Amino acid sequence: MINGKQLSHNHLYMAIKKSELYSSLWKSCDELRGGMDASQYKDYVLVLLFVKYVSDRYEGKEDAIIEIPKGGSFRDMSALKGNKDIGEGINTIIANLAEVNELKGVIDVADFDDDNKLGKGKEKQDRLSNLISIFEHPSLNFSNNRADGDDLLGDAYEYLMRNFATESGKSKGQFYTPAEVSRVMAKVIGIGEVKSQDQTIYDMACGSGSLLLKAADETVRGVTIYGQEMDNATAALAKMNMILHDNPTADIWQDNTLSKPHFKNPDGNLKTFDFCVANPPFSTKAWSNGFDPANDEYGRFEDGIPPKKNGDYAFLLHMIRSMKSTGKGAIILPHGVLFRGGAEAEIRKNLIKRGYFKGIIGLPTNLFYGTGIPACIIVLDKENAKNRTGIFMIDASKGFIKDGNKNRLREQDIHKIVDVFNNQMAIPDYSRMVHLSEISDPKNDFNLNIPRYINTREEEDIHNIEAHLLGGIPEKDVNGLSLYWNAFPSLQQTLFKTHGREGFYDLITESAMLKKTIGEHPDFKAYSLMVDEVISSWREKHVPYLRQIKPGVKPKETIRYLSEDLLKKFSDLALLDKYDVYQTLLNYWTIIMQDDVYQIAEEGWKAIISMDERKKSWSCDLLPKNLVTDKFFRAEYSHIVRLETEREALIQQITGLEDEQGGEDGLLADVRNDKEKVTKAGVQKRMKEIRGDADYADEQEVLEKHLELSEAEALLGRKIKESELLLDKKLLEKLRSLTPEEIKELVVNDKWMTAIEKEIKTEVERISQRLSQRLTELSQRYESTLSDISGKVAEYEEKVREHLAKMGFDF
């Protein structure tokens, strides 16, 4: 049982949704909350996840990269449940595993026998026993975990890390770079083009390793990973995570990168790498502790020494020195590095002249877990530095979604940033190539602040004084909607007429009818038909593809193929943003389709039924009841709807009668219970008391009417229940009898495609909604002229004078 679900016999755990599984994993942290905060209990949870993973993958296997010794496996932990010395026992198991795999100081950093954090005696015993039980769940079997980007562990880890970072608070969440930002960085440095695993990637402030791992995920053949991290516990976490993500040979070192860089060549110079990525701590004050930057033996500060109390450029200069002559890199830094003066201005000028800056991507505020300030990605490229003629800039600050107390890049935001950057596309108010001559111009003086080069301000909606005085909608405002008039050539003539003064229009259609008028206009209908044709073309191409997916399919490759083609199909349609359409598919994938495809990848096209014995109910995630009902049992469902409608009518009659006669002087006053409710038992008792008494004839009639209605309503309730049970039985029988081909038809056509089409068509409806809202706003803005307002003021003044005169006041 998980989340209250008891699952079916022969497919015991396959019906679990990934989202539910991760939520259950996160709830495991409830066992640890109270004695420590998230920045601490993450170490306990992730160590257990590590031990479970390596035990499942490598126990009993010869020549495995991780040796599982006797007394050092997760099975040994399971045997400790309920043991009063469970904490000490877990420490011993972890120590055994660490000893034989040279993981001392890596997986043994959390003390499972700490009374202060875990409680004493029975409290600690129960807490740790419950924690182990959660990881025993068969759904967390990693023996067949895949390393192709679709692995259960990778996604579970990502879910946990995001939540740990969210709860860790300011300064403690810096161990994690949001996956969305990591993916952008990996894609803009071109690591996906790696030809051999001999190529290298380096992160000088690698935290938990999340940025390195996302970059490695972008490669097909793999890449050799190097990382250095100053914090001991975080470095240990990074080493664990490399093993968890099938990168056991990654070289992670714990020490201060700036004062004691670890990766060096035999000649003592810094080792250089093909790719570098980093999200260093922002504006570190004590960055030069432990060494003298003026006499740096590695030559990192030849272009200038950063300010003593701000280390942003120290990390940037270290990265540049760590890049090969053909190296590519990306680093996340606060916006201040783009425009601050003094020593930083001189360094910035020198780096620009060297041509190292390929591009700058301005990100939304509040993306990162250690800070809420806005940051940017600086993209570096040494290979083409000598031929650099400009720096490509993107203002991506407005593209995000709220996610709890943080902001997060959506899939559409990631795709747009990467497309625009890699193709160097100029988009008004979003991106452009800024020539070096413009940057070096005295008025800019090598200042790289994005608003200098890209208009980041919202366009001001300026009111027209003449229109307020004399009425009419200004021609400028109407022309401002030219995108709509280009798409719907004759719509403007349908909606407007000339005002009588040159340069102004009147709206013909009433505001309440605007959306309907637009939706029914021939131009809009033609546009909608064109969208329908694009959707149909996409559907016809991909229905056969989806029907042939089978166990072993890689879900992430599936959605990538579907979504990329959808993006391509909608590239040339005016008014519809192709990235908005792309996001509708990705939203549906995340909420519904992803779980379906993962189930098919495991089990094939089977209607797996989950039974809940406690509630005497069942469900089927792949084929929900409403889908099967609509396909095969419409008559039965319509019958239930009719009965419910009849029952609702009776309930309204009963309620009306009780409202009319239920007061203190009403004929139903004596049949109310302590809660002021009229009950059947009370009605029957009162009828028995007054039966045959002519003085109570009116009351008898009302009681009989109430009883008649109540019994009819109860009868309908029983019929509805019987009909629902019969329908439920038919549904279950039908599901069990469906062939794989019938399941494919239902899932692909009736479930997935129908839902996706509906969502895309909603985007079309938003076009008419946006246009009608803007026209309504303009109409209402200039609806009342100055003379109208003056007339009303005079009218109100006269009425006030009349009232005052009647009251005896003389003005």
Side-chain angles (χ1 to χ4, degrees):
M1 183 175 289
I2 187 166
N3 282 356
K5 288 191 175 182
Q6 180 68 44
L7 304 169
S8 63
H9 47 292
N10 55 340
H11 300 298
L12 190 56
Y13 295 101
M14 288 301 104
I16 292 289
K17 291 184 179 180
K18 290 184 70 174
S19 53
E20 292 177 353
L21 177 60
Y22 302 153
S23 296
S24 298
L25 254 182
W26 181 241
K27 286 176 183 174
S28 70
C29 300
D30 288 337
E31 298 295 337
L32 298 171
R33 290 187 179 96
M36 63 193 101
D37 66 24
S39 65
Q40 296 173 309
Y41 62 66
K42 78 175 189 302
D43 298 328
Y44 289 85
V45 173
L46 292 174
V47 164
L48 280 185
L49 187 65
F50 178 85
V51 175
K52 178 69 167 69
Y53 171 75
V54 296
S55 298
D56 287 351
R57 280 303 289 279
Y58 305 118
E59 190 171 15
K61 294 183 179 180
E62 295 183 6
D63 301 322
I65 59 172
I66 298 292
E67 180 185 345
I68 311 299
K70 185 177 181 180
S73 73
F74 185 79
R75 278 192 302 107
D76 296 310
M77 285 188 181
S78 294
L80 291 173
K81 286 194 303 180
N83 190 316
K84 65 179 182 179
D85 297 322
I86 186 171
E88 182 183 347
I90 291 174
N91 283 344
T92 301
I93 291 166
I94 293 172
N96 291 339
L97 184 62
E99 180 72 35
V100 300
N101 291 289
E102 297 183 3
L103 291 172
K104 293 181 73 65
V106 176
I107 63 174
D108 52 2
V109 293
D111 181 4
F112 283 82
D113 202 30
D114 189 328
D115 291 350
N116 292 324
K117 292 180 179 177
L118 298 167
K120 297 180 180 179
K122 188 72 163 57
E123 182 185 1
K124 178 170 63 180
Q125 179 182 327
D126 290 344
R127 177 171 280 170
L128 292 175
S129 296
N130 291 338
L131 194 58
I132 289 172
S133 294
I134 289 164
F135 284 89
E136 287 177 325
H137 196 282
S139 284
L140 288 173
N141 186 333
F142 301 120
S143 57
N144 296 314
N145 188 67
R146 298 188 300 279
D148 55 14
D150 282 327
D151 58 312
L152 175 70
L153 176 72
D155 290 346
Y157 161 83
E158 192 66 50
Y159 180 90
L160 286 171
M161 293 301 286
R162 185 188 295 276
N163 281 280
F164 285 138
T166 300
E167 287 207 354
S168 291
K170 192 171 182 180
S171 80
K172 293 181 180 178
Q174 292 184 355
F175 60 82
Y176 175 71
T177 300
E180 297 82 13
V181 179
S182 300
R183 286 167 56 200
V184 169
M185 295 172 73
K187 290 174 186 292
V188 297
I189 63 174
I191 198 169
E193 298 173 10
V194 160
K195 302 289 192 299
S196 163
Q197 195 165 357
D198 292 336
Q199 289 183 270
T200 56
I201 185 169
Y202 167 60
D203 185 341
M204 61 189 161
C206 69
S208 65
S210 56
L211 178 49
L212 281 169
L213 288 167
K214 281 299 175 188
D217 277 348
E218 290 293 321
T219 66
V220 175
R221 293 179 174 82
V223 65
T224 301
I225 295 173
Y226 297 85
Q228 186 161 344
E229 167 58 37
M230 185 165 66
D231 182 78
N232 183 53
T234 306
L237 184 59
K239 291 177 184 179
M240 272 196 298
N241 291 339
M242 292 300 151
I243 296 171
L244 286 171
H245 287 78
D246 286 325
N247 287 289
T249 60
D251 194 344
I252 305 295
W253 188 261
Q254 186 272 312
D255 214 331
N256 186 321
T257 297
L258 295 179
S259 63
K260 294 180 181 177
H262 174 69
F263 299 106
K264 289 176 281 191
N265 293 321
D267 62 5
N269 289 321
L270 290 181
K271 181 178 176 65
T272 55
F273 305 89
D274 296 294
F275 299 94
C276 291
V277 291
N279 177 18
F282 290 174
S283 306
T284 302
K285 288 181 171 52
W287 67 272
S288 60
N289 283 2
F291 77 112
D292 180 9
N295 296 297
D296 182 55
E297 60 182 300
Y298 308 108
R300 291 173 291 183
F301 306 108
E302 293 174 355
D303 288 304
I305 298 176
K308 190 172 183 180
K309 293 189 176 180
N310 193 321
D312 291 330
Y313 269 97
F315 286 106
L316 177 58
L317 291 167
H318 178 89
M319 175 177 279
I320 290 172
R321 196 69 173 179
S322 301
M323 293 165 60
K324 290 182 177 179
S325 60
T326 56
K328 312 290 192 298
I331 184 170
I332 300 167
L333 290 171
H335 271 285
V337 299
L338 303 176
F339 57 78
R340 289 193 297 247
E344 291 183 314
E346 188 61 27
I347 297 172
R348 183 170 61 245
K349 178 179 179 179
N350 290 334
L351 295 180
I352 292 170
K353 284 184 172 182
R354 286 180 181 269
Y356 291 152
F357 288 0
K358 179 181 181 179
I360 299 166
I361 301 168
L363 297 170
T365 59
N366 201 29
L367 282 184
F368 299 96
Y369 294 94
T371 177
I373 67 172
C376 62
I377 300 172
I378 295 179
V379 185
L380 304 167
D381 175 15
K382 272 191 176 179
E383 184 175 21
N384 302 296
K386 289 183 179 179
N387 301 319
R388 187 89 55 222
T389 59
I391 298 174
F392 192 77
M393 294 189 183
I394 294 178
D395 172 29
S397 61
K398 300 180 184 70
F400 63 89
I401 189 172
K402 291 292 295 180
D403 185 10
N405 63 351
K406 304 301 291 183
N407 295 331
R408 179 166 56 85
L409 296 178
R410 299 162 294 182
E411 289 295 329
Q412 70 181 90
D413 304 317
I414 297 168
H415 211 303
K416 184 175 182 179
I417 292 169
V418 173
D419 285 351
V420 170
F421 189 89
N422 288 343
N423 294 301
Q424 306 279 279
M425 298 161 56
I427 299 175
D429 301 335
Y430 184 78
S431 62
R432 62 176 286 233
M433 175 65 76
V434 183
H435 202 277
L436 292 179
S437 61
E438 184 179 354
I439 294 170
S440 61
D441 187 282
K443 70 176 186 196
N444 291 319
D445 193 24
F446 296 93
N447 186 315
L448 294 178
N449 197 21
I450 295 174
R452 280 180 176 256
Y453 308 101
I454 297 174
N455 179 20
T456 60
R457 296 186 300 274
E458 293 285 347
E459 189 173 343
E460 197 173 351
D461 189 9
I462 300 172
H463 286 231
N464 185 289
I465 302 298
E466 184 180 343
H468 276 300
L469 293 172
L470 303 174
I473 297 173
E475 184 177 38
K476 181 183 176 183
D477 288 323
V478 176
N479 291 343
L481 299 167
S482 59
L483 285 175
Y484 295 98
W485 313 139
N486 292 337
F488 315 131
S490 62
L491 180 59
Q492 184 177 347
Q493 287 71 39
T494 301
L495 298 176
F496 292 99
K497 66 179 181 180
T498 56
H499 177 70
R501 298 189 342 276
E502 188 176 349
F504 294 88
Y505 292 93
D506 280 332
L507 197 60
I508 299 171
T509 308
E510 293 181 13
S511 296
M513 296 298 294
L514 270 172
K515 192 170 185 299
K516 185 174 186 293
T517 302
I518 295 167
E520 293 178 352
H521 193 275
D523 288 352
F524 189 84
K525 286 184 174 181
Y527 178 85
S528 297
L529 186 60
M530 187 166 55
V531 173
D532 289 345
E533 289 171 355
V534 175
I535 297 172
S536 295
S537 170
W538 180 80
R539 177 175 184 150
E540 287 172 13
K541 178 179 178 180
H542 295 294
V543 163
Y545 165 75
L546 289 170
R547 288 175 67 98
Q548 60 81 40
I549 64 175
K550 55 189 177 183
V553 66
K554 297 177 180 178
K556 290 181 181 177
E557 286 186 9
T558 299
I559 187 57
R560 189 180 299 117
Y561 174 62
L562 295 174
S563 60
E564 290 299 319
D565 191 56
L566 186 69
L567 199 62
K568 193 181 299 180
K569 293 280 188 192
F570 278 88
S571 290
D572 300 322
L573 270 177
L575 296 180
L576 268 179
D577 185 327
K578 64 181 180 179
Y579 295 105
D580 286 340
V581 176
Y582 170 83
Q583 188 66 43
T584 63
L585 173 58
L586 269 294
N587 288 344
Y588 181 72
W589 170 261
T590 301
I591 298 168
I592 301 291
M593 194 173 172
Q594 172 182 240
D595 287 322
D596 291 346
V597 177
Y598 269 90
Q599 181 181 308
I600 294 165
E602 294 288 344
E603 292 286 298
W605 294 91
K606 297 177 183 178
I608 299 171
I609 297 161
S610 301
M611 306 298 297
D612 188 328
E613 300 297 343
R614 182 172 58 85
K615 294 182 179 179
K616 304 295 181 185
S617 64
W618 61 271
S619 64
C620 179
D621 289 329
L622 190 62
L623 291 171
K625 290 183 181 181
N626 65 319
L627 182 71
V628 183
T629 299
D630 189 57
K631 186 75 172 180
F632 299 107
F633 302 107
R634 285 190 181 183
E636 289 86 343
Y637 180 70
S638 296
H639 174 66
I640 293 172
V641 170
R642 284 196 299 273
L643 292 178
E644 287 176 337
T645 302
E646 292 175 20
R647 186 186 182 196
E648 184 58 37
L650 287 173
I651 291 172
Q652 289 179 4
Q653 289 184 60
I654 293 168
T655 302
L657 187 62
E658 290 177 352
D659 288 344
E660 182 183 345
Q661 299 290 348
E664 289 188 8
D665 298 327
L667 297 174
L668 294 174
D670 295 333
V671 294
R672 294 178 300 178
N673 61 14
D674 293 340
K675 296 181 180 179
E676 299 296 313
K677 296 288 185 182
V678 177
T679 65
K680 182 179 178 181
V683 170
Q684 290 175 325
K685 180 181 177 184
R686 181 60 178 165
M687 286 176 68
K688 190 174 182 181
E689 291 171 353
I690 64 174
R691 184 175 293 127
D693 193 329
D695 291 340
Y696 295 96
D698 290 345
E699 184 180 352
Q700 180 77 22
E701 183 180 347
V702 170
L703 291 169
E704 288 176 352
K705 180 64 175 175
H706 190 281
L707 185 61
E708 177 188 343
L709 291 170
S710 297
E711 289 179 342
E713 186 269 330
L715 178 61
L716 278 173
R718 290 192 294 273
K719 286 183 178 180
I720 291 169
K721 185 67 174 175
E722 290 168 2
S723 298
E724 287 175 339
L725 289 172
L726 181 60
L727 175 57
D728 205 53
K729 182 180 179 183
K730 288 182 177 181
L731 283 170
L732 193 55
E733 291 172 352
K734 187 65 182 178
L735 279 169
R736 285 172 171 162
S737 70
L738 289 172
T739 66
E741 286 305 311
E742 288 174 319
I743 294 172
K744 289 178 183 180
E745 175 67 22
L746 279 166
V747 173
V748 175
N749 283 299
D750 297 342
K751 184 182 183 182
W752 293 345
M753 285 300 179
T754 299
I756 292 166
E757 285 185 19
K758 183 179 178 182
E759 289 302 314
I760 293 174
K761 287 178 180 178
T762 300
E763 291 296 320
V764 178
E765 290 176 17
R766 290 195 181 106
I767 293 172
S768 62
Q769 183 71 32
R770 286 194 294 267
L771 179 56
S772 62
Q773 284 178 344
R774 177 57 176 167
L775 294 177
T776 299
E777 179 185 17
L778 291 171
S779 176
Q780 292 175 349
R781 176 183 295 176
Y782 301 116
E783 190 173 32
S784 298
T785 64
L786 181 61
S787 59
D788 293 333
I789 297 169
S790 299
K792 287 180 181 178
V793 170
E795 181 183 337
Y796 294 147
E797 282 183 350
E798 184 58 34
K799 286 183 179 179
V800 171
R801 288 179 184 277
E802 290 176 1
H803 285 300
L804 290 173
K806 289 178 182 178
M807 296 168 64
F809 295 97
D810 187 18
F811 284 93

